[in-house]
Amino acid sequence: MNKLASIVLLIASAASAQIITIIDNGVERKISLPSAPNGVNARAIQTEQKSIMVAFKKGAAVDIAAFSSQYNLVLTKKLSIGYYIFKNKSSLSDITLISLIQKENRARLKTIRPNWGFNNMPR
């Protein structure tokens, strides 16, 4: 009975989720984001943080200032491993902006994903 209930809850949570595509270390991945908080996905990652993590491929000539102004981003931190964390100041959501950046800069991107963390902190 418990297995059946957990399967039903899993299906219900998947039905109310949004699927987005990210690039993680050169690999295109699909992640599921809940569309609205409810009992099943109440511990889901918040989507209002407006922050994006980007890494460019080695050898790709990228002007960070021009990149950030083109997409209305503000550089908040550059990590020593080559990742840039940008705050999204545009009117677009992180998900929409990530999709736009992927389409226009696919050849230069190593990683692009929301900087929401993966530890499922409670809201």
Side-chain angles (χ1 to χ4, degrees), residues 55-57 60-63 67 70 104-110:
F56 298 98
K57 292 180 180 176
V62 179
D63 181 8
F67 178 82
Q70 178 181 0
E104 296 177 357
N105 298 287
R106 179 76 173 139
R108 301 189 304 175
L109 290 174
K110 174 184 171 188

Side-chain angles (χ1 to χ4, degrees), residues 5 7 16 20-21 25 29 32-33 38 54 56 68-69 77-78 84-86 88 96 106 111-112 120:
I7 290 172
S16 66
I20 66 165
T21 303
N25 206 14
R29 301 185 192 282
S32 175
L33 300 176
N38 60 31
V54 179
F56 298 98
S68 61
S69 66
K77 190 183 286 187
K78 180 182 188 260
Y84 297 89
I85 299 176
F86 293 99
N88 180 0
T96 307
R106 179 76 173 139
T111 299
I112 184 166
N120 291 335

Side-chain angles (χ1 to χ4, degrees), residues 41-47 49 116-123:
N41 56 15
R43 294 180 45 114
I45 299 168
Q46 295 182 13
T47 59
Q49 290 182 347
W116 299 338
F118 291 111
N119 54 357
N120 291 335
M121 297 295 290
R123 292 182 178 216

Side-chain angles (χ1 to χ4, degrees), residues 1 6 10 13 15 22 25-26 30 33 39 41 43 69 75 77 84 89 94 103 107 110 113 122:
M1 183 65 180
S6 60
L10 181 64
S13 67
I22 63 169
N25 206 14
K30 306 253 186 233
L33 300 176
N41 56 15
R43 294 180 45 114
S69 66
L75 180 65
K77 190 183 286 187
Y84 297 89
K89 292 291 193 173
D94 288 352
K103 288 177 188 172
K110 174 184 171 188
R113 65 177 181 86

